[in-house]
mmCIF file of all heavy atoms in Angstrom:
data_model
loop_
_atom_site.group_PDB
_atom_site.id
_atom_site.type_symbol
_atom_site.label_atom_id
_atom_site.label_comp_id
_atom_site.label_asym_id
_atom_site.label_seq_id
_atom_site.Cartn_x
_atom_site.Cartn_y
_atom_site.Cartn_z
ATOM 1 N N GLN A 1 -14.526 -18.098 1.812
ATOM 2 C CA GLN A 1 -13.358 -17.784 2.629
ATOM 3 C C GLN A 1 -12.305 -18.865 2.382
ATOM 4 O O GLN A 1 -12.600 -20.058 2.482
ATOM 5 C CB GLN A 1 -13.743 -17.726 4.110
ATOM 6 C CG GLN A 1 -12.703 -17.094 4.989
ATOM 7 C CD GLN A 1 -12.425 -15.631 4.653
ATOM 8 O OE1 GLN A 1 -13.277 -14.909 4.162
ATOM 9 N NE2 GLN A 1 -11.219 -15.187 4.893
ATOM 10 N N VAL A 2 -11.094 -18.462 2.034
ATOM 11 C CA VAL A 2 -10.022 -19.390 1.679
ATOM 12 C C VAL A 2 -8.780 -19.047 2.493
ATOM 13 O O VAL A 2 -8.468 -17.882 2.699
ATOM 14 C CB VAL A 2 -9.679 -19.281 0.172
ATOM 15 C CG1 VAL A 2 -8.526 -20.194 -0.199
ATOM 16 C CG2 VAL A 2 -10.896 -19.552 -0.686
ATOM 17 N N THR A 3 -8.072 -20.076 2.936
ATOM 18 C CA THR A 3 -6.753 -19.906 3.533
ATOM 19 C C THR A 3 -5.788 -20.703 2.674
ATOM 20 O O THR A 3 -6.023 -21.878 2.397
ATOM 21 C CB THR A 3 -6.722 -20.387 4.989
ATOM 22 O OG1 THR A 3 -7.643 -19.599 5.748
ATOM 23 C CG2 THR A 3 -5.330 -20.255 5.591
ATOM 24 N N GLU A 4 -4.724 -20.040 2.245
ATOM 25 C CA GLU A 4 -3.798 -20.653 1.301
ATOM 26 C C GLU A 4 -2.359 -20.408 1.764
ATOM 27 O O GLU A 4 -2.050 -19.366 2.317
ATOM 28 C CB GLU A 4 -4.024 -20.015 -0.069
ATOM 29 C CG GLU A 4 -3.235 -20.607 -1.189
ATOM 30 C CD GLU A 4 -3.613 -19.993 -2.545
ATOM 31 O OE1 GLU A 4 -4.620 -19.269 -2.645
ATOM 32 O OE2 GLU A 4 -2.866 -20.242 -3.490
ATOM 33 N N VAL A 5 -1.508 -21.383 1.519
ATOM 34 C CA VAL A 5 -0.090 -21.237 1.809
ATOM 35 C C VAL A 5 0.607 -20.890 0.495
ATOM 36 O O VAL A 5 0.553 -21.651 -0.466
ATOM 37 C CB VAL A 5 0.504 -22.533 2.416
ATOM 38 C CG1 VAL A 5 2.007 -22.376 2.620
ATOM 39 C CG2 VAL A 5 -0.193 -22.868 3.726
ATOM 40 N N LEU A 6 1.227 -19.726 0.471
ATOM 41 C CA LEU A 6 1.943 -19.256 -0.707
ATOM 42 C C LEU A 6 3.436 -19.460 -0.494
ATOM 43 O O LEU A 6 3.927 -19.356 0.628
ATOM 44 C CB LEU A 6 1.658 -17.772 -0.932
ATOM 45 C CG LEU A 6 0.186 -17.381 -1.053
ATOM 46 C CD1 LEU A 6 0.048 -15.863 -1.101
ATOM 47 C CD2 LEU A 6 -0.439 -18.015 -2.277
ATOM 48 N N LEU A 7 4.152 -19.731 -1.573
ATOM 49 C CA LEU A 7 5.590 -19.970 -1.491
ATOM 50 C C LEU A 7 6.352 -18.854 -2.208
ATOM 51 O O LEU A 7 5.989 -18.454 -3.314
ATOM 52 C CB LEU A 7 5.943 -21.312 -2.133
ATOM 53 C CG LEU A 7 5.250 -22.538 -1.554
ATOM 54 C CD1 LEU A 7 5.657 -23.791 -2.328
ATOM 55 C CD2 LEU A 7 5.565 -22.694 -0.079
ATOM 56 N N PHE A 8 7.402 -18.385 -1.553
ATOM 57 C CA PHE A 8 8.234 -17.318 -2.098
ATOM 58 C C PHE A 8 9.699 -17.699 -1.955
ATOM 59 O O PHE A 8 10.110 -18.260 -0.937
ATOM 60 C CB PHE A 8 7.971 -15.999 -1.358
ATOM 61 C CG PHE A 8 6.556 -15.540 -1.491
ATOM 62 C CD1 PHE A 8 5.612 -15.898 -0.544
ATOM 63 C CD2 PHE A 8 6.165 -14.778 -2.571
ATOM 64 C CE1 PHE A 8 4.297 -15.495 -0.668
ATOM 65 C CE2 PHE A 8 4.847 -14.371 -2.707
ATOM 66 C CZ PHE A 8 3.911 -14.725 -1.756
ATOM 67 N N ASN A 9 10.473 -17.370 -2.969
ATOM 68 C CA ASN A 9 11.899 -17.658 -2.912
ATOM 69 C C ASN A 9 12.644 -16.805 -3.927
ATOM 70 O O ASN A 9 12.157 -16.551 -5.018
ATOM 71 C CB ASN A 9 12.165 -19.136 -3.225
ATOM 72 C CG ASN A 9 13.617 -19.505 -3.021
ATOM 73 O OD1 ASN A 9 14.141 -19.372 -1.929
ATOM 74 N ND2 ASN A 9 14.273 -19.956 -4.072
ATOM 75 N N LEU A 10 13.809 -16.380 -3.534
ATOM 76 C CA LEU A 10 14.757 -15.790 -4.461
ATOM 77 C C LEU A 10 16.039 -16.584 -4.289
ATOM 78 O O LEU A 10 16.479 -16.813 -3.159
ATOM 79 C CB LEU A 10 14.994 -14.308 -4.165
ATOM 80 C CG LEU A 10 13.831 -13.370 -4.449
ATOM 81 C CD1 LEU A 10 14.139 -11.966 -3.946
ATOM 82 C CD2 LEU A 10 13.504 -13.332 -5.933
ATOM 83 N N SER A 11 16.606 -17.023 -5.395
ATOM 84 C CA SER A 11 17.862 -17.765 -5.335
ATOM 85 C C SER A 11 18.971 -16.847 -4.848
ATOM 86 O O SER A 11 18.836 -15.607 -4.876
ATOM 87 C CB SER A 11 18.206 -18.325 -6.718
ATOM 88 O OG SER A 11 18.502 -17.249 -7.605
ATOM 89 N N ASN A 12 20.074 -17.418 -4.417
ATOM 90 C CA ASN A 12 21.195 -16.585 -3.977
ATOM 91 C C ASN A 12 21.659 -15.625 -5.074
ATOM 92 O O ASN A 12 21.887 -14.448 -4.784
ATOM 93 C CB ASN A 12 22.348 -17.444 -3.470
ATOM 94 C CG ASN A 12 22.083 -17.949 -2.074
ATOM 95 O OD1 ASN A 12 21.326 -17.347 -1.313
ATOM 96 N ND2 ASN A 12 22.688 -19.055 -1.715
ATOM 97 N N PRO A 13 21.784 -16.069 -6.337
ATOM 98 C CA PRO A 13 22.151 -15.097 -7.371
ATOM 99 C C PRO A 13 21.121 -13.970 -7.519
ATOM 100 O O PRO A 13 21.494 -12.805 -7.692
ATOM 101 C CB PRO A 13 22.232 -15.938 -8.649
ATOM 102 C CG PRO A 13 22.567 -17.310 -8.159
ATOM 103 C CD PRO A 13 21.820 -17.455 -6.862
ATOM 104 N N GLU A 14 19.833 -14.302 -7.438
ATOM 105 C CA GLU A 14 18.801 -13.269 -7.525
ATOM 106 C C GLU A 14 18.903 -12.307 -6.343
ATOM 107 O O GLU A 14 18.807 -11.089 -6.512
ATOM 108 C CB GLU A 14 17.404 -13.898 -7.534
ATOM 109 C CG GLU A 14 17.060 -14.634 -8.810
ATOM 110 C CD GLU A 14 15.768 -15.433 -8.693
ATOM 111 O OE1 GLU A 14 15.524 -16.062 -7.635
ATOM 112 O OE2 GLU A 14 15.005 -15.430 -9.674
ATOM 113 N N LEU A 15 19.089 -12.847 -5.159
ATOM 114 C CA LEU A 15 19.194 -12.021 -3.955
ATOM 115 C C LEU A 15 20.410 -11.111 -3.998
ATOM 116 O O LEU A 15 20.320 -9.919 -3.696
ATOM 117 C CB LEU A 15 19.266 -12.905 -2.709
ATOM 118 C CG LEU A 15 17.961 -13.552 -2.272
ATOM 119 C CD1 LEU A 15 18.231 -14.640 -1.244
ATOM 120 C CD2 LEU A 15 17.019 -12.513 -1.705
ATOM 121 N N MET A 16 21.552 -11.665 -4.360
ATOM 122 C CA MET A 16 22.780 -10.867 -4.383
ATOM 123 C C MET A 16 22.701 -9.764 -5.437
ATOM 124 O O MET A 16 23.152 -8.641 -5.204
ATOM 125 C CB MET A 16 23.987 -11.754 -4.599
ATOM 126 C CG MET A 16 24.289 -12.613 -3.374
ATOM 127 S SD MET A 16 25.821 -13.545 -3.484
ATOM 128 C CE MET A 16 25.362 -14.825 -4.647
ATOM 129 N N THR A 17 22.112 -10.071 -6.588
ATOM 130 C CA THR A 17 21.949 -9.056 -7.634
ATOM 131 C C THR A 17 21.038 -7.944 -7.159
ATOM 132 O O THR A 17 21.348 -6.753 -7.322
ATOM 133 C CB THR A 17 21.381 -9.702 -8.915
ATOM 134 O OG1 THR A 17 22.293 -10.702 -9.370
ATOM 135 C CG2 THR A 17 21.150 -8.666 -10.000
ATOM 136 N N LEU A 18 19.933 -8.308 -6.548
ATOM 137 C CA LEU A 18 18.988 -7.320 -6.022
ATOM 138 C C LEU A 18 19.624 -6.484 -4.919
ATOM 139 O O LEU A 18 19.536 -5.254 -4.918
ATOM 140 C CB LEU A 18 17.738 -8.037 -5.502
ATOM 141 C CG LEU A 18 16.564 -7.181 -5.077
ATOM 142 C CD1 LEU A 18 16.066 -6.323 -6.235
ATOM 143 C CD2 LEU A 18 15.446 -8.072 -4.565
ATOM 144 N N GLN A 19 20.291 -7.130 -4.005
ATOM 145 C CA GLN A 19 20.921 -6.439 -2.874
ATOM 146 C C GLN A 19 22.000 -5.470 -3.358
ATOM 147 O O GLN A 19 22.100 -4.351 -2.870
ATOM 148 C CB GLN A 19 21.509 -7.490 -1.916
ATOM 149 C CG GLN A 19 21.975 -6.947 -0.605
ATOM 150 C CD GLN A 19 20.857 -6.574 0.347
ATOM 151 O OE1 GLN A 19 19.749 -6.267 -0.029
ATOM 152 N NE2 GLN A 19 21.187 -6.571 1.616
ATOM 153 N N ALA A 20 22.777 -5.900 -4.333
ATOM 154 C CA ALA A 20 23.882 -5.072 -4.828
ATOM 155 C C ALA A 20 23.405 -3.918 -5.709
ATOM 156 O O ALA A 20 24.156 -2.985 -5.970
ATOM 157 C CB ALA A 20 24.870 -5.933 -5.599
ATOM 158 N N SER A 21 22.154 -3.956 -6.148
ATOM 159 C CA SER A 21 21.662 -2.909 -7.042
ATOM 160 C C SER A 21 21.241 -1.639 -6.306
ATOM 161 O O SER A 21 20.890 -0.647 -6.945
ATOM 162 C CB SER A 21 20.505 -3.449 -7.890
ATOM 163 O OG SER A 21 19.407 -3.779 -7.083
ATOM 164 N N TYR A 22 21.283 -1.649 -4.984
ATOM 165 C CA TYR A 22 20.949 -0.471 -4.181
ATOM 166 C C TYR A 22 22.142 -0.123 -3.309
ATOM 167 O O TYR A 22 22.719 -1.013 -2.678
ATOM 168 C CB TYR A 22 19.723 -0.735 -3.301
ATOM 169 C CG TYR A 22 18.467 -0.955 -4.108
ATOM 170 C CD1 TYR A 22 18.069 -2.229 -4.473
ATOM 171 C CD2 TYR A 22 17.690 0.134 -4.512
ATOM 172 C CE1 TYR A 22 16.913 -2.422 -5.224
ATOM 173 C CE2 TYR A 22 16.543 -0.054 -5.257
ATOM 174 C CZ TYR A 22 16.163 -1.337 -5.615
ATOM 175 O OH TYR A 22 15.031 -1.524 -6.362
ATOM 176 N N PRO A 23 22.528 1.153 -3.239
ATOM 177 C CA PRO A 23 23.719 1.542 -2.478
ATOM 178 C C PRO A 23 23.734 1.040 -1.031
ATOM 179 O O PRO A 23 24.770 0.621 -0.541
ATOM 180 C CB PRO A 23 23.695 3.069 -2.525
ATOM 181 C CG PRO A 23 22.948 3.380 -3.784
ATOM 182 C CD PRO A 23 21.917 2.288 -3.915
ATOM 183 N N GLU A 24 22.579 1.061 -0.359
ATOM 184 C CA GLU A 24 22.530 0.608 1.035
ATOM 185 C C GLU A 24 21.895 -0.775 1.165
ATOM 186 O O GLU A 24 21.600 -1.213 2.266
ATOM 187 C CB GLU A 24 21.741 1.618 1.877
ATOM 188 C CG GLU A 24 22.422 2.957 1.971
ATOM 189 C CD GLU A 24 21.658 3.911 2.861
ATOM 190 O OE1 GLU A 24 21.103 3.486 3.881
ATOM 191 O OE2 GLU A 24 21.628 5.099 2.515
ATOM 192 N N GLY A 25 21.675 -1.455 0.055
ATOM 193 C CA GLY A 25 21.028 -2.756 0.081
ATOM 194 C C GLY A 25 19.524 -2.608 -0.082
ATOM 195 O O GLY A 25 18.949 -1.544 0.158
ATOM 196 N N TYR A 26 18.899 -3.678 -0.506
ATOM 197 C CA TYR A 26 17.478 -3.649 -0.832
ATOM 198 C C TYR A 26 16.598 -3.353 0.383
ATOM 199 O O TYR A 26 15.710 -2.512 0.321
ATOM 200 C CB TYR A 26 17.052 -4.978 -1.464
ATOM 201 C CG TYR A 26 15.608 -4.972 -1.841
ATOM 202 C CD1 TYR A 26 15.205 -4.459 -3.065
ATOM 203 C CD2 TYR A 26 14.629 -5.434 -0.973
ATOM 204 C CE1 TYR A 26 13.877 -4.422 -3.419
ATOM 205 C CE2 TYR A 26 13.296 -5.392 -1.313
ATOM 206 C CZ TYR A 26 12.926 -4.892 -2.542
ATOM 207 O OH TYR A 26 11.606 -4.841 -2.873
ATOM 208 N N ALA A 27 16.804 -4.067 1.481
ATOM 209 C CA ALA A 27 15.954 -3.901 2.660
ATOM 210 C C ALA A 27 16.011 -2.462 3.169
ATOM 211 O O ALA A 27 14.977 -1.872 3.506
ATOM 212 C CB ALA A 27 16.350 -4.880 3.755
ATOM 213 N N LYS A 28 17.202 -1.881 3.210
ATOM 214 C CA LYS A 28 17.347 -0.495 3.667
ATOM 215 C C LYS A 28 16.649 0.463 2.698
ATOM 216 O O LYS A 28 16.042 1.452 3.117
ATOM 217 C CB LYS A 28 18.833 -0.145 3.820
ATOM 218 C CG LYS A 28 19.063 1.221 4.391
ATOM 219 C CD LYS A 28 18.536 1.345 5.800
ATOM 220 C CE LYS A 28 18.800 2.726 6.357
ATOM 221 N NZ LYS A 28 18.041 3.016 7.548
ATOM 222 N N HIS A 29 16.723 0.150 1.406
ATOM 223 C CA HIS A 29 16.044 0.971 0.399
ATOM 224 C C HIS A 29 14.539 1.006 0.677
ATOM 225 O O HIS A 29 13.922 2.075 0.668
ATOM 226 C CB HIS A 29 16.312 0.432 -1.005
ATOM 227 C CG HIS A 29 15.516 1.089 -2.072
ATOM 228 N ND1 HIS A 29 15.800 2.354 -2.545
ATOM 229 C CD2 HIS A 29 14.416 0.676 -2.749
ATOM 230 C CE1 HIS A 29 14.915 2.686 -3.470
ATOM 231 N NE2 HIS A 29 14.066 1.685 -3.611
ATOM 232 N N LEU A 30 13.960 -0.160 0.937
ATOM 233 C CA LEU A 30 12.525 -0.228 1.221
ATOM 234 C C LEU A 30 12.193 0.490 2.525
ATOM 235 O O LEU A 30 11.223 1.247 2.595
ATOM 236 C CB LEU A 30 12.047 -1.678 1.271
ATOM 237 C CG LEU A 30 10.553 -1.872 1.546
ATOM 238 C CD1 LEU A 30 9.696 -1.150 0.513
ATOM 239 C CD2 LEU A 30 10.225 -3.352 1.579
ATOM 240 N N GLU A 31 13.006 0.284 3.547
ATOM 241 C CA GLU A 31 12.773 0.977 4.819
ATOM 242 C C GLU A 31 12.812 2.491 4.626
ATOM 243 O O GLU A 31 11.974 3.211 5.179
ATOM 244 C CB GLU A 31 13.830 0.565 5.853
ATOM 245 C CG GLU A 31 13.604 -0.795 6.460
ATOM 246 C CD GLU A 31 14.669 -1.138 7.485
ATOM 247 O OE1 GLU A 31 15.032 -0.258 8.295
ATOM 248 O OE2 GLU A 31 15.141 -2.286 7.456
ATOM 249 N N SER A 32 13.770 2.983 3.858
ATOM 250 C CA SER A 32 13.879 4.422 3.604
ATOM 251 C C SER A 32 12.652 4.950 2.864
ATOM 252 O O SER A 32 12.154 6.030 3.175
ATOM 253 C CB SER A 32 15.140 4.728 2.793
ATOM 254 O OG SER A 32 16.285 4.388 3.534
ATOM 255 N N ALA A 33 12.177 4.188 1.880
ATOM 256 C CA ALA A 33 10.982 4.595 1.140
ATOM 257 C C ALA A 33 9.773 4.640 2.066
ATOM 258 O O ALA A 33 8.940 5.547 1.977
ATOM 259 C CB ALA A 33 10.731 3.652 -0.034
ATOM 260 N N LEU A 34 9.681 3.670 2.972
ATOM 261 C CA LEU A 34 8.579 3.649 3.942
ATOM 262 C C LEU A 34 8.667 4.849 4.882
ATOM 263 O O LEU A 34 7.673 5.533 5.133
ATOM 264 C CB LEU A 34 8.583 2.346 4.743
ATOM 265 C CG LEU A 34 8.100 1.100 4.015
ATOM 266 C CD1 LEU A 34 8.498 -0.162 4.778
ATOM 267 C CD2 LEU A 34 6.598 1.155 3.796
ATOM 268 N N GLU A 35 9.872 5.120 5.393
ATOM 269 C CA GLU A 35 10.062 6.238 6.311
ATOM 270 C C GLU A 35 9.779 7.577 5.637
ATOM 271 O O GLU A 35 9.242 8.494 6.254
ATOM 272 C CB GLU A 35 11.481 6.225 6.871
ATOM 273 C CG GLU A 35 11.727 5.108 7.862
ATOM 274 C CD GLU A 35 13.196 4.962 8.244
ATOM 275 O OE1 GLU A 35 14.030 5.791 7.826
ATOM 276 O OE2 GLU A 35 13.506 3.986 8.961
ATOM 277 N N ALA A 36 10.133 7.695 4.361
ATOM 278 C CA ALA A 36 9.918 8.936 3.615
ATOM 279 C C ALA A 36 8.478 9.045 3.099
ATOM 280 O O ALA A 36 8.118 10.053 2.491
ATOM 281 C CB ALA A 36 10.891 9.014 2.446
ATOM 282 N N ASN A 37 7.702 7.999 3.337
ATOM 283 C CA ASN A 37 6.313 7.943 2.865
ATOM 284 C C ASN A 37 6.242 8.107 1.347
ATOM 285 O O ASN A 37 5.329 8.739 0.816
ATOM 286 C CB ASN A 37 5.450 8.986 3.577
ATOM 287 C CG ASN A 37 3.978 8.638 3.518
ATOM 288 O OD1 ASN A 37 3.619 7.464 3.401
ATOM 289 N ND2 ASN A 37 3.127 9.640 3.587
ATOM 290 N N ASP A 38 7.238 7.519 0.650
ATOM 291 C CA ASP A 38 7.284 7.550 -0.814
ATOM 292 C C ASP A 38 6.415 6.395 -1.324
ATOM 293 O O ASP A 38 6.905 5.309 -1.628
ATOM 294 C CB ASP A 38 8.731 7.412 -1.288
ATOM 295 C CG ASP A 38 8.871 7.539 -2.794
ATOM 296 O OD1 ASP A 38 7.857 7.484 -3.519
ATOM 297 O OD2 ASP A 38 10.031 7.687 -3.250
ATOM 298 N N LYS A 39 5.124 6.641 -1.401
ATOM 299 C CA LYS A 39 4.157 5.594 -1.729
ATOM 300 C C LYS A 39 4.417 4.958 -3.087
ATOM 301 O O LYS A 39 4.294 3.745 -3.247
ATOM 302 C CB LYS A 39 2.742 6.145 -1.646
ATOM 303 C CG LYS A 39 2.352 6.486 -0.228
ATOM 304 C CD LYS A 39 0.988 7.109 -0.153
ATOM 305 C CE LYS A 39 0.701 7.428 1.302
ATOM 306 N NZ LYS A 39 0.019 8.648 1.497
ATOM 307 N N LYS A 40 4.763 5.760 -4.061
ATOM 308 C CA LYS A 40 5.019 5.233 -5.407
ATOM 309 C C LYS A 40 6.165 4.218 -5.379
ATOM 310 O O LYS A 40 6.064 3.131 -5.952
ATOM 311 C CB LYS A 40 5.335 6.383 -6.369
ATOM 312 C CG LYS A 40 5.554 5.937 -7.782
ATOM 313 C CD LYS A 40 5.813 7.128 -8.688
ATOM 314 C CE LYS A 40 6.072 6.677 -10.111
ATOM 315 N NZ LYS A 40 6.341 7.804 -11.008
ATOM 316 N N GLU A 41 7.246 4.550 -4.694
ATOM 317 C CA GLU A 41 8.406 3.650 -4.622
ATOM 318 C C GLU A 41 8.087 2.402 -3.797
ATOM 319 O O GLU A 41 8.502 1.298 -4.150
ATOM 320 C CB GLU A 41 9.616 4.373 -4.047
ATOM 321 C CG GLU A 41 10.890 3.546 -4.071
ATOM 322 C CD GLU A 41 11.337 3.161 -5.481
ATOM 323 O OE1 GLU A 41 10.991 3.836 -6.467
ATOM 324 O OE2 GLU A 41 12.056 2.151 -5.600
ATOM 325 N N VAL A 42 7.351 2.570 -2.711
ATOM 326 C CA VAL A 42 6.979 1.418 -1.875
ATOM 327 C C VAL A 42 6.134 0.442 -2.677
ATOM 328 O O VAL A 42 6.391 -0.765 -2.684
ATOM 329 C CB VAL A 42 6.227 1.868 -0.601
ATOM 330 C CG1 VAL A 42 5.619 0.679 0.131
ATOM 331 C CG2 VAL A 42 7.161 2.630 0.324
#
């Protein structure tokens, strides 16, 4: 049994590029895929 602290980061340029690549933004894109139960996209 292991407990580990993982680190995650996206730089501002990475975040802005990702956010701008979806018409409603990345977070909304994921929420929509979850709501639509689009498992492949999620």
